[in-house]
Amino acid sequence: LDRKAAGRTLFTYPVTAAIIIFLFNYFLFDANEFLSRFLHVNSSVLLIVECVLLIFMLQPLVKMFEARLFMSEASRANDFHRLLKDSTGQLVGIISLNELNTFLVEIFRVRLRLSDFHLMIKDSVGGRFVSADKVQDDKISFPAYGELASKLKDSRHVMNIQQISLAWHEGEELEVLYENRIVLIAPLLKQDELIGFCLFGEPGPARAWYPSEIEELEVFLQGLPVVIARCHTHERAIALEKKQASIEKVAVLSEISSGIAHEIRNPLSI
């Protein structure tokens, strides 16, 4: 049972409903008085009827709150497991970092509704970890040899923000994590090299990650370093093809220019 969700369901929502009922009666006071005189019915009876109608209209919302309150950890874990299992097979066809980032954002931000998610990849220079989503997250970056990278490489497992913040000497990296409301950090290791990591926000309103979800997450993320390496290989191949095409184009232009220069210096006689 989620205690914070229970507090909202058992206190916040009833109080909100009471306020709505009060405002409902306040703004319809004149109408209630008119109906009371016209129908010869006590205004309290009209208020009760209005409350019943309001409850009837809010019934779908109440059912949603009940589902949120009594959803078990096992149920959440099953849904989480099913989604990650179905998504694992789709990683095979991904060949670019942009495609990978879009795929992961769809899973974690859209379908699982995390408060935030970022895929961090080491840049081409190798000096910093930058977001794969360069359009939205160009300001988020971490030094490749900073404290965060060192802690993730030593741990080799998913860490929460409390674990990662222990014995922190410099506060800049930690401040970035807090500013973006990051609660889980998962390293992506290829052998002993840290090639990237994932930043995860809260899994839902006012609730923590369940241990079973973290375990499922670690299993899912084990395949990402292979996908990232494949993306890098594909991008290098494309860059090489473009460079080769450019060299061939320059060679053709050079040959044409040489031919034209030769004809200018040695024109054909008629």
Side-chain angles (χ1 to χ4, degrees):
L1 186 64
D2 193 325
R3 294 182 179 179
K4 293 185 178 180
R8 290 196 303 272
T9 304
L10 301 177
F11 176 75
T12 306
Y13 300 145
V15 170
T16 303
I19 294 173
I20 293 174
I21 292 171
F22 171 77
L23 295 175
F24 195 81
N25 181 59
Y26 177 79
F27 287 111
L28 294 179
F29 181 79
D30 293 336
N32 287 344
E33 288 295 324
F34 173 77
L35 290 174
S36 177
R37 291 194 299 269
F38 181 76
L39 299 175
H40 303 289
V41 178
N42 192 292
S43 59
S44 299
V45 175
L46 291 175
L47 179 59
I48 293 173
V49 172
E50 291 167 357
C51 292
V52 171
L53 290 175
L54 182 62
I55 292 173
F56 179 77
M57 289 187 292
L58 291 177
Q59 188 175 5
L61 192 60
V62 171
K63 288 183 178 180
M64 184 185 71
F65 291 152
E66 289 177 350
R68 173 70 178 87
L69 176 62
F70 296 109
M71 183 180 291
S72 64
E73 178 180 345
S75 176
R76 293 182 191 279
N78 289 335
D79 294 340
F80 194 85
H81 169 76
R82 189 180 303 109
L83 177 57
L84 293 188
K85 183 179 179 181
D86 294 342
S87 302
T88 301
Q90 301 177 39
L91 290 171
V92 178
I94 295 176
I95 56 175
S96 72
L97 289 176
N98 184 54
E99 185 182 357
L100 175 61
N101 181 72
T102 302
F103 177 72
L104 294 177
V105 167
E106 173 69 21
I107 293 175
F108 294 111
R109 285 189 190 172
V110 180
R111 302 182 66 180
L112 291 176
R113 299 180 180 179
L114 302 190
S115 62
D116 210 350
F117 169 80
H118 304 278
L119 172 63
M120 310 301 296
I121 302 294
K122 187 179 290 187
D123 60 15
S124 57
V125 180
R128 298 190 70 82
F129 287 102
V130 297
S131 175
D133 188 356
K134 297 179 181 179
V135 177
Q136 298 292 334
D137 305 325
D138 58 338
K139 295 182 180 179
I140 300 178
S141 66
F142 299 89
Y145 302 98
E147 289 190 64
L148 178 61
S150 177
K151 289 176 181 289
L152 291 174
K153 188 175 181 179
D154 292 340
S155 171
R156 306 182 70 88
H157 293 286
V158 176
M159 302 180 70
N160 59 43
I161 191 65
Q162 288 79 19
Q163 293 172 318
I164 208 77
S165 60
L166 293 175
W168 201 288
H169 300 291
E170 300 292 339
E172 293 183 3
E173 296 176 81
L174 191 61
E175 186 177 347
V176 173
L177 295 176
Y178 280 126
E179 285 178 355
N180 291 276
R181 298 183 300 167
I182 301 302
V183 296
L184 281 185
I185 304 97
L188 302 175
L189 294 162
K190 183 181 178 183
Q191 296 179 350
D192 291 330
E193 180 187 1
L194 183 68
I195 62 173
F197 50 89
C198 294
L199 306 177
F200 300 91
E202 295 178 348
R207 86 168 181 88
W209 283 84
Y210 294 126
S212 57
E213 292 175 334
I214 297 176
E215 292 175 3
E216 292 287 345
L217 196 61
E218 285 196 326
V219 173
F220 174 76
L221 295 176
Q222 285 177 356
L224 283 191
V226 177
V227 179
I228 293 172
R230 182 171 66 240
C231 292
H232 284 316
T233 301
H234 183 260
E235 289 178 354
R236 284 194 295 267
I238 292 177
L240 185 60
E241 287 181 2
K242 290 181 179 179
K243 184 177 180 180
Q244 183 67 26
S246 178
I247 292 174
E248 291 176 357
K249 186 183 295 184
V250 171
V252 171
L253 291 175
S254 177
E255 184 176 350
I256 293 173
S257 300
S258 177
I260 294 173
H262 176 75
E263 292 299 329
I264 291 173
R265 288 193 300 268
N266 304 286
L268 293 174
S269 60
I270 300 176

